[in-house]
């Protein structure tokens, strides 16, 4: 049509839902604005309980965001400040690198504000949580033995070779390494040594009558 600079694409055609074509147009404009300002395009993930409210610093900032969407949608639907409104939406998409409706922003960096254009106010900055260290069931207790070490150079292999039933025991969960380590640990930890006997130079290792073993 002469004088019309708007391009119409067949892919954008759809069946009319409402009898009033003006209502149909307003809903289409509102949907396009909501899709353009969708926070998921900025790499923000909605909370399962609170939605996108947790992405803002406070409730007022979240309400301002909802009001901004309504204002821009009404401007386009009522044809008020259309050029300025479209310019704000275009700057929002271009600044954040959103060249198409289906495109989303790349992963945010640590401490980066999600909306580079500044159109949406009050968003929380993204902070990457520090990686947790691997779980250690022993906590900070060192597992290295201080007084002894079990290695191949200590004749350990020869002990295993003399133990003919080692492979048979191993099938039942028996570990000769654990057995040897436990006995060496007991020896170097002083278990089975009685101070009174050591002081008196006694060699009898018989337990006293009133000794209780834990």
């Amino acid at each position: 049509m002469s004088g019309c600079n708007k391009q119409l694409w067949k892919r954008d055609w759809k069946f009319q839902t409402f009898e009033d074509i003006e209502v149909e147009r307003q809903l289409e404009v509102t949907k396009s604005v909501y899709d353009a300002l969708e926070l998921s395009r900025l790499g923000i993930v909605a909370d399962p309980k609170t939605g996108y409210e947790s992405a803002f610093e406070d409730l007022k900032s979240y309400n301002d965001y909802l009001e901004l969407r309504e204002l821009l949608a009404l401007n386009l639907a009522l044809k008020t400040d259309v050029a300025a409104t479209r310019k704000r939406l275009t700057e929002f998409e271009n600044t954040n690198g959103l060249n198409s409706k289906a495109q989303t922003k790349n992963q945010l960096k640590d401490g980066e504000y999600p909306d580079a254009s500044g159109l949406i106010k009050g968003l929380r900055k993204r902070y990457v949580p520090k990686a947790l260290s691997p779980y250690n069931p022993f906590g900070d207790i060192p597992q290295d033995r201080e007084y002894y070490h079990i290695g191949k150079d200590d004749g350990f292999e020869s002990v295993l070779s003399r133990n003919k039933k080692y492979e048979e025991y191993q099938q039942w969960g028996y570990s000769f390494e654990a057995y040897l380590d436990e006995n060496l640990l007991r020896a170097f930890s002083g278990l089975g040594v009685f101070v009174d006997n050591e002081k008196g130079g006694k060699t009898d290792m018989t337990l006293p009558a009133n000794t209780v073993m834990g």
Side-chain angles (χ1 to χ4, degrees):
M1 181 181 295
S2 177
C4 180
N5 298 324
K6 186 175 182 180
Q7 293 182 349
L8 299 179
W9 297 88
K10 187 177 181 180
R11 65 189 180 192
D12 296 331
W13 292 7
K14 66 176 185 178
F15 292 100
Q16 184 174 341
T17 305
F18 298 93
E19 182 178 357
D20 190 346
I21 191 63
E22 191 63 26
V23 175
E24 188 82 20
R25 190 183 71 84
Q26 291 181 5
L27 290 177
E28 187 66 23
V29 170
T30 302
K31 183 178 182 300
S32 64
V33 173
Y34 280 24
D35 291 343
L37 298 180
E38 178 65 30
L39 294 180
S40 61
R41 303 182 69 195
L42 299 177
I44 300 176
V45 180
D47 186 87
K49 295 182 179 179
T50 61
Y52 287 114
E53 181 180 341
S54 58
F56 291 84
E57 296 178 352
D58 48 38
L59 181 59
K60 182 180 182 303
S61 299
Y62 178 63
N63 290 333
D64 291 342
Y65 161 71
L66 299 179
E67 185 177 353
L68 174 66
R69 294 194 310 176
E70 293 289 342
L71 177 62
L72 297 181
L74 285 175
N75 286 346
L76 296 180
L78 302 178
K79 299 180 180 180
T80 305
D81 297 333
V82 176
T85 302
R86 292 195 180 279
K87 181 180 179 181
R88 297 177 70 181
L89 292 174
T90 302
E91 290 179 352
F92 169 78
E93 293 186 341
N94 293 339
T95 306
N96 291 298
L98 307 175
N99 299 324
S100 63
K101 293 183 179 180
Q103 186 176 2
T104 58
K105 195 171 184 179
N106 296 331
Q107 187 175 6
L108 298 175
K109 299 179 181 179
D110 191 19
E112 181 182 358
Y113 190 76
D115 182 14
S117 67
L119 179 62
I120 303 177
K121 309 290 185 182
L123 287 171
R124 297 180 185 272
K125 293 183 179 180
R126 184 181 187 277
Y127 292 99
V128 180
K130 296 182 179 179
L132 299 177
S133 57
Y135 173 72
N136 183 6
F138 300 101
D140 297 331
I141 302 176
Q143 297 302 305
D144 298 333
R145 305 307 185 191
E146 184 177 356
Y147 299 104
Y148 65 90
H149 171 72
I150 301 177
K152 295 182 179 180
D153 299 334
D154 302 327
F156 181 67
E157 293 293 339
S158 61
V159 174
L160 293 181
S161 62
R162 293 196 302 269
N163 190 352
K164 298 180 180 180
K165 293 187 177 182
Y166 174 69
E167 295 183 358
E168 181 181 348
Y169 293 153
Q170 198 175 27
Q171 296 177 0
W172 298 94
Y174 175 81
S175 174
F176 188 78
E177 294 92 331
Y179 169 77
L180 182 60
D181 180 69
E182 179 67 21
N183 281 273
L184 290 175
L185 177 62
R186 288 174 176 269
F188 283 98
S189 299
L191 299 178
V193 177
F194 301 95
V195 179
D196 292 338
N197 294 341
E198 294 293 331
K199 286 182 177 180
K202 300 179 181 180
T203 57
D204 185 12
M205 299 300 295
T206 305
L207 295 177
N210 58 350
T211 301
V212 178
M213 297 296 291

